[in-house]
PDB file of all heavy atoms in Angstrom:
ATOM      1  N   TYR A  40      -1.839  10.431  16.126  1.00 98.00           N
ATOM      2  CA  TYR A  40      -2.223   9.307  15.265  1.00 98.00           C
ATOM      3  C   TYR A  40      -1.560   8.035  15.823  1.00 98.00           C
ATOM      4  O   TYR A  40      -0.510   8.130  16.493  1.00 98.00           O
ATOM      5  CB  TYR A  40      -1.765   9.505  13.835  1.00 98.00           C
ATOM      6  CG  TYR A  40      -2.331  10.729  13.140  1.00 98.00           C
ATOM      7  CD1 TYR A  40      -1.730  11.967  13.294  1.00 98.00           C
ATOM      8  CD2 TYR A  40      -3.447  10.632  12.338  1.00 98.00           C
ATOM      9  CE1 TYR A  40      -2.238  13.103  12.688  1.00 98.00           C
ATOM     10  CE2 TYR A  40      -3.982  11.758  11.683  1.00 98.00           C
ATOM     11  CZ  TYR A  40      -3.357  12.990  11.853  1.00 98.00           C
ATOM     12  OH  TYR A  40      -3.859  14.102  11.248  1.00 98.00           O
ATOM     13  N   PRO A  41      -2.116   6.840  15.517  1.00 98.00           N
ATOM     14  CA  PRO A  41      -1.428   5.607  15.942  1.00 98.00           C
ATOM     15  C   PRO A  41      -0.017   5.481  15.344  1.00 98.00           C
ATOM     16  O   PRO A  41       0.245   6.088  14.254  1.00 98.00           O
ATOM     17  CB  PRO A  41      -2.375   4.535  15.374  1.00 98.00           C
ATOM     18  CG  PRO A  41      -3.687   5.176  15.225  1.00 98.00           C
ATOM     19  CD  PRO A  41      -3.412   6.616  14.887  1.00 98.00           C
ATOM     20  N   ASP A  42       0.841   4.779  16.024  1.00 98.00           N
ATOM     21  CA  ASP A  42       2.222   4.695  15.624  1.00 98.00           C
ATOM     22  C   ASP A  42       2.425   4.206  14.211  1.00 98.00           C
ATOM     23  O   ASP A  42       3.404   4.615  13.514  1.00 98.00           O
ATOM     24  CB  ASP A  42       3.000   3.765  16.590  1.00 98.00           C
ATOM     25  CG  ASP A  42       3.301   4.446  17.917  1.00 98.00           C
ATOM     26  OD1 ASP A  42       3.105   5.682  18.021  1.00 98.00           O
ATOM     27  OD2 ASP A  42       3.811   3.742  18.831  1.00 98.00           O
ATOM     28  N   ASP A  43       1.619   3.288  13.709  1.00 98.00           N
ATOM     29  CA  ASP A  43       1.834   2.681  12.385  1.00 98.00           C
ATOM     30  C   ASP A  43       1.183   3.522  11.249  1.00 98.00           C
ATOM     31  O   ASP A  43       1.192   3.060  10.095  1.00 98.00           O
ATOM     32  CB  ASP A  43       1.299   1.272  12.344  1.00 98.00           C
ATOM     33  CG  ASP A  43       2.170   0.307  13.140  1.00 98.00           C
ATOM     34  OD1 ASP A  43       3.377   0.593  13.331  1.00 98.00           O
ATOM     35  OD2 ASP A  43       1.679  -0.731  13.600  1.00 98.00           O
ATOM     36  N   THR A  44       0.678   4.675  11.553  1.00 98.00           N
ATOM     37  CA  THR A  44       0.029   5.517  10.536  1.00 98.00           C
ATOM     38  C   THR A  44       1.060   5.981   9.467  1.00 98.00           C
ATOM     39  O   THR A  44       2.150   6.420   9.811  1.00 98.00           O
ATOM     40  CB  THR A  44      -0.652   6.711  11.168  1.00 98.00           C
ATOM     41  OG1 THR A  44      -1.592   6.296  12.133  1.00 98.00           O
ATOM     42  CG2 THR A  44      -1.362   7.555  10.119  1.00 98.00           C
ATOM     43  N   LEU A  45       0.655   5.840   8.198  1.00 98.00           N
ATOM     44  CA  LEU A  45       1.524   6.264   7.105  1.00 98.00           C
ATOM     45  C   LEU A  45       1.514   7.773   6.952  1.00 98.00           C
ATOM     46  O   LEU A  45       0.433   8.410   6.943  1.00 98.00           O
ATOM     47  CB  LEU A  45       1.044   5.629   5.783  1.00 98.00           C
ATOM     48  CG  LEU A  45       1.788   6.023   4.532  1.00 98.00           C
ATOM     49  CD1 LEU A  45       3.266   5.587   4.591  1.00 98.00           C
ATOM     50  CD2 LEU A  45       1.102   5.381   3.286  1.00 98.00           C
ATOM     51  N   ALA A  46       2.661   8.382   6.838  1.00 98.00           N
ATOM     52  CA  ALA A  46       2.789   9.835   6.609  1.00 98.00           C
ATOM     53  C   ALA A  46       3.909  10.071   5.617  1.00 98.00           C
ATOM     54  O   ALA A  46       4.785   9.223   5.380  1.00 98.00           O
ATOM     55  CB  ALA A  46       3.093  10.494   7.967  1.00 98.00           C
ATOM     56  N   PHE A  47       3.852  11.275   5.036  1.00 98.00           N
ATOM     57  CA  PHE A  47       4.931  11.693   4.127  1.00 98.00           C
ATOM     58  C   PHE A  47       5.301  13.149   4.475  1.00 98.00           C
ATOM     59  O   PHE A  47       4.443  13.984   4.681  1.00 98.00           O
ATOM     60  CB  PHE A  47       4.410  11.679   2.644  1.00 98.00           C
ATOM     61  CG  PHE A  47       4.194  10.319   2.105  1.00 98.00           C
ATOM     62  CD1 PHE A  47       3.010   9.631   2.356  1.00 98.00           C
ATOM     63  CD2 PHE A  47       5.184   9.673   1.298  1.00 98.00           C
ATOM     64  CE1 PHE A  47       2.825   8.336   1.840  1.00 98.00           C
ATOM     65  CE2 PHE A  47       4.969   8.426   0.815  1.00 98.00           C
ATOM     66  CZ  PHE A  47       3.793   7.730   1.068  1.00 98.00           C
ATOM     67  N   VAL A  48       6.615  13.419   4.492  1.00 98.00           N
ATOM     68  CA  VAL A  48       7.077  14.779   4.584  1.00 98.00           C
ATOM     69  C   VAL A  48       7.345  15.274   3.162  1.00 98.00           C
ATOM     70  O   VAL A  48       7.888  14.547   2.329  1.00 98.00           O
ATOM     71  CB  VAL A  48       8.338  14.879   5.481  1.00 98.00           C
ATOM     72  CG1 VAL A  48       9.517  14.132   4.919  1.00 98.00           C
ATOM     73  CG2 VAL A  48       8.732  16.326   5.721  1.00 98.00           C
ATOM     74  N   VAL A  49       6.936  16.509   2.903  1.00 98.00           N
ATOM     75  CA  VAL A  49       7.051  17.048   1.544  1.00 98.00           C
ATOM     76  C   VAL A  49       8.052  18.176   1.542  1.00 98.00           C
ATOM     77  O   VAL A  49       8.003  19.125   2.350  1.00 98.00           O
ATOM     78  CB  VAL A  49       5.682  17.607   1.073  1.00 98.00           C
ATOM     79  CG1 VAL A  49       5.808  18.237  -0.335  1.00 98.00           C
ATOM     80  CG2 VAL A  49       4.650  16.478   1.042  1.00 98.00           C
ATOM     81  N   LEU A  50       9.046  18.075   0.623  1.00 98.00           N
ATOM     82  CA  LEU A  50      10.102  19.064   0.466  1.00 98.00           C
ATOM     83  C   LEU A  50       9.935  19.784  -0.869  1.00 98.00           C
ATOM     84  O   LEU A  50       9.513  19.194  -1.864  1.00 98.00           O
ATOM     85  CB  LEU A  50      11.489  18.367   0.436  1.00 98.00           C
ATOM     86  CG  LEU A  50      11.826  17.288   1.474  1.00 98.00           C
ATOM     87  CD1 LEU A  50      13.244  16.774   1.237  1.00 98.00           C
ATOM     88  CD2 LEU A  50      11.669  17.832   2.887  1.00 98.00           C
ATOM     89  N   SER A  51      10.346  21.054  -0.906  1.00 98.00           N
ATOM     90  CA  SER A  51      10.407  21.756  -2.180  1.00 98.00           C
ATOM     91  C   SER A  51      11.899  21.765  -2.583  1.00 98.00           C
ATOM     92  O   SER A  51      12.788  22.061  -1.792  1.00 98.00           O
ATOM     93  CB  SER A  51       9.872  23.174  -2.072  1.00 98.00           C
ATOM     94  OG  SER A  51      10.606  23.950  -1.139  1.00 98.00           O
ATOM     95  N   THR A  52      12.170  21.408  -3.838  1.00 98.00           N
ATOM     96  CA  THR A  52      13.522  21.413  -4.377  1.00 98.00           C
ATOM     97  C   THR A  52      13.754  22.709  -5.158  1.00 98.00           C
ATOM     98  O   THR A  52      12.795  23.504  -5.349  1.00 98.00           O
ATOM     99  CB  THR A  52      13.706  20.195  -5.332  1.00 98.00           C
ATOM    100  OG1 THR A  52      12.960  20.417  -6.520  1.00 98.00           O
ATOM    101  CG2 THR A  52      13.195  18.889  -4.652  1.00 98.00           C
ATOM    102  N   PRO A  53      14.956  22.969  -5.598  1.00 98.00           N
ATOM    103  CA  PRO A  53      15.217  24.241  -6.331  1.00 98.00           C
ATOM    104  C   PRO A  53      14.311  24.452  -7.534  1.00 98.00           C
ATOM    105  O   PRO A  53      13.960  25.592  -7.872  1.00 98.00           O
ATOM    106  CB  PRO A  53      16.671  24.122  -6.759  1.00 98.00           C
ATOM    107  CG  PRO A  53      17.306  23.270  -5.683  1.00 98.00           C
ATOM    108  CD  PRO A  53      16.223  22.231  -5.327  1.00 98.00           C
ATOM    109  N   SER A  54      13.895  23.364  -8.203  1.00 97.00           N
ATOM    110  CA  SER A  54      13.075  23.555  -9.418  1.00 97.00           C
ATOM    111  C   SER A  54      11.610  23.925  -9.144  1.00 97.00           C
ATOM    112  O   SER A  54      10.892  24.268 -10.049  1.00 97.00           O
ATOM    113  CB  SER A  54      13.112  22.268 -10.244  1.00 97.00           C
ATOM    114  OG  SER A  54      12.464  21.184  -9.566  1.00 97.00           O
ATOM    115  N   MET A  55      11.225  23.876  -7.859  1.00 97.00           N
ATOM    116  CA  MET A  55       9.811  24.248  -7.539  1.00 97.00           C
ATOM    117  C   MET A  55       9.486  25.682  -7.963  1.00 97.00           C
ATOM    118  O   MET A  55       8.369  25.988  -8.350  1.00 97.00           O
ATOM    119  CB  MET A  55       9.576  24.069  -6.040  1.00 97.00           C
ATOM    120  CG  MET A  55       8.107  24.220  -5.603  1.00 97.00           C
ATOM    121  SD  MET A  55       7.641  25.916  -5.212  1.00 97.00           S
ATOM    122  CE  MET A  55       8.419  26.219  -3.621  1.00 97.00           C
ATOM    123  N   PHE A  56      10.457  26.543  -7.900  1.00 96.00           N
ATOM    124  CA  PHE A  56      10.225  27.962  -8.190  1.00 96.00           C
ATOM    125  C   PHE A  56       9.696  28.149  -9.613  1.00 96.00           C
ATOM    126  O   PHE A  56       8.731  28.858  -9.854  1.00 96.00           O
ATOM    127  CB  PHE A  56      11.544  28.727  -8.006  1.00 96.00           C
ATOM    128  CG  PHE A  56      11.423  30.255  -8.018  1.00 96.00           C
ATOM    129  CD1 PHE A  56      10.983  30.915  -6.885  1.00 96.00           C
ATOM    130  CD2 PHE A  56      11.727  30.982  -9.143  1.00 96.00           C
ATOM    131  CE1 PHE A  56      10.860  32.292  -6.874  1.00 96.00           C
ATOM    132  CE2 PHE A  56      11.594  32.346  -9.159  1.00 96.00           C
ATOM    133  CZ  PHE A  56      11.167  33.019  -8.032  1.00 96.00           C
ATOM    134  N   ASP A  57      10.332  27.459 -10.557  1.00 95.00           N
ATOM    135  CA  ASP A  57       9.917  27.567 -11.984  1.00 95.00           C
ATOM    136  C   ASP A  57       8.774  26.637 -12.311  1.00 95.00           C
ATOM    137  O   ASP A  57       7.904  26.968 -13.119  1.00 95.00           O
ATOM    138  CB  ASP A  57      11.113  27.272 -12.894  1.00 95.00           C
ATOM    139  CG  ASP A  57      12.116  28.426 -12.914  1.00 95.00           C
ATOM    140  OD1 ASP A  57      11.694  29.602 -12.884  1.00 95.00           O
ATOM    141  OD2 ASP A  57      13.329  28.141 -12.936  1.00 95.00           O
ATOM    142  N   LYS A  58       8.776  25.438 -11.705  1.00 97.00           N
ATOM    143  CA  LYS A  58       7.796  24.437 -12.109  1.00 97.00           C
ATOM    144  C   LYS A  58       6.412  24.648 -11.460  1.00 97.00           C
ATOM    145  O   LYS A  58       5.384  24.246 -12.005  1.00 97.00           O
ATOM    146  CB  LYS A  58       8.285  23.029 -11.760  1.00 97.00           C
ATOM    147  CG  LYS A  58       9.455  22.571 -12.624  1.00 97.00           C
ATOM    148  CD  LYS A  58       9.910  21.181 -12.221  1.00 97.00           C
ATOM    149  CE  LYS A  58      10.988  20.653 -13.153  1.00 97.00           C
ATOM    150  NZ  LYS A  58      11.443  19.300 -12.726  1.00 97.00           N
ATOM    151  N   ALA A  59       6.417  25.226 -10.251  1.00 96.00           N
ATOM    152  CA  ALA A  59       5.133  25.364  -9.522  1.00 96.00           C
ATOM    153  C   ALA A  59       4.802  26.831  -9.177  1.00 96.00           C
ATOM    154  O   ALA A  59       3.678  27.261  -9.443  1.00 96.00           O
ATOM    155  CB  ALA A  59       5.179  24.526  -8.239  1.00 96.00           C
ATOM    156  N   LEU A  60       5.747  27.560  -8.603  1.00 94.00           N
ATOM    157  CA  LEU A  60       5.420  28.908  -8.081  1.00 94.00           C
ATOM    158  C   LEU A  60       5.062  29.850  -9.200  1.00 94.00           C
ATOM    159  O   LEU A  60       4.010  30.509  -9.162  1.00 94.00           O
ATOM    160  CB  LEU A  60       6.567  29.440  -7.267  1.00 94.00           C
ATOM    161  CG  LEU A  60       6.324  30.844  -6.669  1.00 94.00           C
ATOM    162  CD1 LEU A  60       5.135  30.831  -5.715  1.00 94.00           C
ATOM    163  CD2 LEU A  60       7.570  31.417  -5.986  1.00 94.00           C
ATOM    164  N   LYS A  61       5.896  29.981 -10.224  1.00 91.00           N
ATOM    165  CA  LYS A  61       5.643  30.991 -11.256  1.00 91.00           C
ATOM    166  C   LYS A  61       4.368  30.655 -12.049  1.00 91.00           C
ATOM    167  O   LYS A  61       3.556  31.549 -12.306  1.00 91.00           O
ATOM    168  CB  LYS A  61       6.859  31.163 -12.148  1.00 91.00           C
ATOM    169  CG  LYS A  61       8.048  31.774 -11.392  1.00 91.00           C
ATOM    170  CD  LYS A  61       9.087  32.436 -12.202  1.00 91.00           C
ATOM    171  CE  LYS A  61       9.738  31.640 -13.255  1.00 91.00           C
ATOM    172  NZ  LYS A  61      10.959  32.243 -13.802  1.00 91.00           N
ATOM    173  N   PRO A  62       4.138  29.381 -12.428  1.00 92.00           N
ATOM    174  CA  PRO A  62       2.846  29.085 -13.069  1.00 92.00           C
ATOM    175  C   PRO A  62       1.632  29.349 -12.158  1.00 92.00           C
ATOM    176  O   PRO A  62       0.580  29.831 -12.645  1.00 92.00           O
ATOM    177  CB  PRO A  62       2.959  27.576 -13.399  1.00 92.00           C
ATOM    178  CG  PRO A  62       4.414  27.324 -13.488  1.00 92.00           C
ATOM    179  CD  PRO A  62       5.022  28.238 -12.447  1.00 92.00           C
ATOM    180  N   PHE A  63       1.776  29.088 -10.853  1.00 92.00           N
ATOM    181  CA  PHE A  63       0.658  29.352  -9.940  1.00 92.00           C
ATOM    182  C   PHE A  63       0.363  30.815  -9.880  1.00 92.00           C
ATOM    183  O   PHE A  63      -0.801  31.227  -9.932  1.00 92.00           O
ATOM    184  CB  PHE A  63       1.033  28.818  -8.544  1.00 92.00           C
ATOM    185  CG  PHE A  63       0.058  29.197  -7.462  1.00 92.00           C
ATOM    186  CD1 PHE A  63      -1.138  28.522  -7.312  1.00 92.00           C
ATOM    187  CD2 PHE A  63       0.338  30.248  -6.592  1.00 92.00           C
ATOM    188  CE1 PHE A  63      -2.063  28.862  -6.326  1.00 92.00           C
ATOM    189  CE2 PHE A  63      -0.569  30.600  -5.594  1.00 92.00           C
ATOM    190  CZ  PHE A  63      -1.758  29.908  -5.465  1.00 92.00           C
ATOM    191  N   VAL A  64       1.399  31.670  -9.738  1.00 87.00           N
ATOM    192  CA  VAL A  64       1.214  33.110  -9.670  1.00 87.00           C
ATOM    193  C   VAL A  64       0.593  33.624 -10.939  1.00 87.00           C
ATOM    194  O   VAL A  64      -0.345  34.478 -10.909  1.00 87.00           O
ATOM    195  CB  VAL A  64       2.547  33.788  -9.385  1.00 87.00           C
ATOM    196  CG1 VAL A  64       2.431  35.307  -9.603  1.00 87.00           C
ATOM    197  CG2 VAL A  64       2.990  33.531  -7.932  1.00 87.00           C
ATOM    198  N   LYS A  65       1.022  33.133 -12.061  1.00 86.00           N
ATOM    199  CA  LYS A  65       0.480  33.569 -13.358  1.00 86.00           C
ATOM    200  C   LYS A  65      -1.014  33.245 -13.474  1.00 86.00           C
ATOM    201  O   LYS A  65      -1.835  34.069 -13.914  1.00 86.00           O
ATOM    202  CB  LYS A  65       1.236  32.893 -14.509  1.00 86.00           C
ATOM    203  CG  LYS A  65       0.855  33.398 -15.908  1.00 86.00           C
ATOM    204  CD  LYS A  65       1.739  32.739 -16.940  1.00 86.00           C
ATOM    205  CE  LYS A  65       1.364  33.242 -18.338  1.00 86.00           C
ATOM    206  NZ  LYS A  65       2.199  32.610 -19.422  1.00 86.00           N
ATOM    207  N   LYS A  66      -1.378  32.054 -12.987  1.00 85.00           N
ATOM    208  CA  LYS A  66      -2.780  31.605 -13.023  1.00 85.00           C
ATOM    209  C   LYS A  66      -3.655  32.388 -12.066  1.00 85.00           C
ATOM    210  O   LYS A  66      -4.829  32.727 -12.344  1.00 85.00           O
ATOM    211  CB  LYS A  66      -2.840  30.133 -12.743  1.00 85.00           C
ATOM    212  CG  LYS A  66      -4.241  29.545 -12.902  1.00 85.00           C
ATOM    213  CD  LYS A  66      -4.210  28.053 -12.613  1.00 85.00           C
ATOM    214  CE  LYS A  66      -5.619  27.456 -12.692  1.00 85.00           C
ATOM    215  NZ  LYS A  66      -5.612  25.996 -12.351  1.00 85.00           N
ATOM    216  N   GLU A  67      -3.074  32.727 -10.880  1.00 76.00           N
ATOM    217  CA  GLU A  67      -3.869  33.359  -9.822  1.00 76.00           C
ATOM    218  C   GLU A  67      -3.692  34.875  -9.792  1.00 76.00           C
ATOM    219  O   GLU A  67      -4.056  35.525  -8.817  1.00 76.00           O
ATOM    220  CB  GLU A  67      -3.406  32.797  -8.450  1.00 76.00           C
ATOM    221  CG  GLU A  67      -3.478  31.275  -8.340  1.00 76.00           C
ATOM    222  CD  GLU A  67      -4.930  30.761  -8.294  1.00 76.00           C
ATOM    223  OE1 GLU A  67      -5.739  31.320  -7.524  1.00 76.00           O
ATOM    224  OE2 GLU A  67      -5.252  29.871  -9.097  1.00 76.00           O
ATOM    225  N   ARG A  68      -3.214  35.470 -10.874  1.00 65.00           N
ATOM    226  CA  ARG A  68      -2.772  36.851 -10.865  1.00 65.00           C
ATOM    227  C   ARG A  68      -3.889  37.802 -10.391  1.00 65.00           C
ATOM    228  O   ARG A  68      -3.617  38.831  -9.763  1.00 65.00           O
ATOM    229  CB  ARG A  68      -2.333  37.237 -12.269  1.00 65.00           C
ATOM    230  CG  ARG A  68      -1.648  38.591 -12.315  1.00 65.00           C
ATOM    231  CD  ARG A  68      -1.077  38.825 -13.711  1.00 65.00           C
ATOM    232  NE  ARG A  68       0.031  37.899 -14.030  1.00 65.00           N
ATOM    233  CZ  ARG A  68       1.257  38.021 -13.607  1.00 65.00           C
ATOM    234  NH1 ARG A  68       1.588  39.067 -12.824  1.00 65.00           N
ATOM    235  NH2 ARG A  68       2.194  37.144 -13.925  1.00 65.00           N
ATOM    236  N   LEU A  69      -5.121  37.518 -10.738  1.00 58.00           N
ATOM    237  CA  LEU A  69      -6.221  38.453 -10.409  1.00 58.00           C
ATOM    238  C   LEU A  69      -6.809  38.205  -9.030  1.00 58.00           C
ATOM    239  O   LEU A  69      -7.718  38.926  -8.588  1.00 58.00           O
ATOM    240  CB  LEU A  69      -7.321  38.352 -11.435  1.00 58.00           C
ATOM    241  CG  LEU A  69      -6.882  38.720 -12.890  1.00 58.00           C
ATOM    242  CD1 LEU A  69      -8.048  38.556 -13.861  1.00 58.00           C
ATOM    243  CD2 LEU A  69      -6.312  40.145 -12.944  1.00 58.00           C
ATOM    244  N   LYS A  70      -6.318  37.169  -8.310  1.00 71.00           N
ATOM    245  CA  LYS A  70      -6.871  36.904  -6.993  1.00 71.00           C
ATOM    246  C   LYS A  70      -5.967  37.470  -5.918  1.00 71.00           C
ATOM    247  O   LYS A  70      -4.828  37.869  -6.159  1.00 71.00           O
ATOM    248  CB  LYS A  70      -7.019  35.387  -6.800  1.00 71.00           C
ATOM    249  CG  LYS A  70      -7.920  34.723  -7.809  1.00 71.00           C
ATOM    250  CD  LYS A  70      -8.032  33.229  -7.576  1.00 71.00           C
ATOM    251  CE  LYS A  70      -8.942  32.566  -8.633  1.00 71.00           C
ATOM    252  NZ  LYS A  70      -8.994  31.128  -8.488  1.00 71.00           N
ATOM    253  N   ILE A  71      -6.457  37.540  -4.702  1.00 65.00           N
ATOM    254  CA  ILE A  71      -5.643  38.069  -3.592  1.00 65.00           C
ATOM    255  C   ILE A  71      -4.644  36.996  -3.163  1.00 65.00           C
ATOM    256  O   ILE A  71      -5.020  35.893  -2.797  1.00 65.00           O
ATOM    257  CB  ILE A  71      -6.557  38.455  -2.409  1.00 65.00           C
ATOM    258  CG1 ILE A  71      -7.500  39.606  -2.810  1.00 65.00           C
ATOM    259  CG2 ILE A  71      -5.707  38.862  -1.209  1.00 65.00           C
ATOM    260  CD1 ILE A  71      -8.557  39.957  -1.780  1.00 65.00           C
ATOM    261  N   ILE A  72      -3.386  37.359  -3.204  1.00 71.00           N
ATOM    262  CA  ILE A  72      -2.320  36.444  -2.800  1.00 71.00           C
ATOM    263  C   ILE A  72      -1.600  37.064  -1.571  1.00 71.00           C
ATOM    264  O   ILE A  72      -1.060  38.170  -1.683  1.00 71.00           O
ATOM    265  CB  ILE A  72      -1.317  36.135  -3.924  1.00 71.00           C
ATOM    266  CG1 ILE A  72      -2.062  35.371  -5.041  1.00 71.00           C
ATOM    267  CG2 ILE A  72      -0.128  35.367  -3.408  1.00 71.00           C
ATOM    268  CD1 ILE A  72      -1.169  34.969  -6.200  1.00 71.00           C
ATOM    269  N   ARG A  73      -1.602  36.372  -0.462  1.00 79.00           N
ATOM    270  CA  ARG A  73      -0.953  36.899   0.757  1.00 79.00           C
ATOM    271  C   ARG A  73       0.494  36.491   0.813  1.00 79.00           C
ATOM    272  O   ARG A  73       1.350  37.339   0.985  1.00 79.00           O
ATOM    273  CB  ARG A  73      -1.705  36.354   2.010  1.00 79.00           C
ATOM    274  CG  ARG A  73      -3.169  36.861   2.099  1.00 79.00           C
ATOM    275  CD  ARG A  73      -3.856  36.249   3.282  1.00 79.00           C
ATOM    276  NE  ARG A  73      -3.930  34.788   3.195  1.00 79.00           N
ATOM    277  CZ  ARG A  73      -4.827  34.107   2.458  1.00 79.00           C
ATOM    278  NH1 ARG A  73      -5.720  34.769   1.718  1.00 79.00           N
ATOM    279  NH2 ARG A  73      -4.807  32.799   2.429  1.00 79.00           N
ATOM    280  N   ASP A  74       0.759  35.210   0.692  1.00 86.00           N
ATOM    281  CA  ASP A  74       2.135  34.736   0.588  1.00 86.00           C
ATOM    282  C   ASP A  74       2.227  33.751  -0.574  1.00 86.00           C
ATOM    283  O   ASP A  74       1.659  32.672  -0.494  1.00 86.00           O
ATOM    284  CB  ASP A  74       2.549  34.022   1.879  1.00 86.00           C
ATOM    285  CG  ASP A  74       4.020  33.586   1.847  1.00 86.00           C
ATOM    286  OD1 ASP A  74       4.320  32.646   1.068  1.00 86.00           O
ATOM    287  OD2 ASP A  74       4.837  34.157   2.564  1.00 86.00           O
ATOM    288  N   PRO A  75       2.868  34.131  -1.670  1.00 89.00           N
ATOM    289  CA  PRO A  75       2.836  33.326  -2.878  1.00 89.00           C
ATOM    290  C   PRO A  75       3.298  31.881  -2.666  1.00 89.00           C
ATOM    291  O   PRO A  75       2.673  30.960  -3.143  1.00 89.00           O
ATOM    292  CB  PRO A  75       3.760  34.094  -3.851  1.00 89.00           C
ATOM    293  CG  PRO A  75       3.648  35.508  -3.415  1.00 89.00           C
ATOM    294  CD  PRO A  75       3.540  35.444  -1.909  1.00 89.00           C
ATOM    295  N   VAL A  76       4.408  31.686  -1.947  1.00 92.00           N
ATOM    296  CA  VAL A  76       4.927  30.308  -1.798  1.00 92.00           C
ATOM    297  C   VAL A  76       4.009  29.482  -0.932  1.00 92.00           C
ATOM    298  O   VAL A  76       3.660  28.344  -1.287  1.00 92.00           O
ATOM    299  CB  VAL A  76       6.367  30.346  -1.153  1.00 92.00           C
ATOM    300  CG1 VAL A  76       6.836  28.924  -0.848  1.00 92.00           C
ATOM    301  CG2 VAL A  76       7.339  30.993  -2.145  1.00 92.00           C
TER     302      VAL A  76
END
Side-chain angles (χ1 to χ4, degrees):
Y40 300 85
D42 282 352
D43 288 335
T44 303
L45 178 62
F47 290 83
V48 63
V49 178
L50 316 179
S51 62
T52 72
S54 66
M55 187 274 284
F56 192 80
D57 287 321
K58 290 180 176 178
L60 179 63
K61 294 203 304 195
F63 172 79
V64 167
K65 186 176 181 181
K66 185 179 178 184
E67 304 291 310
R68 190 173 295 280
L69 299 178
K70 299 180 183 177
I71 296 172
I72 294 183
R73 296 176 299 280
D74 183 291
V76 173

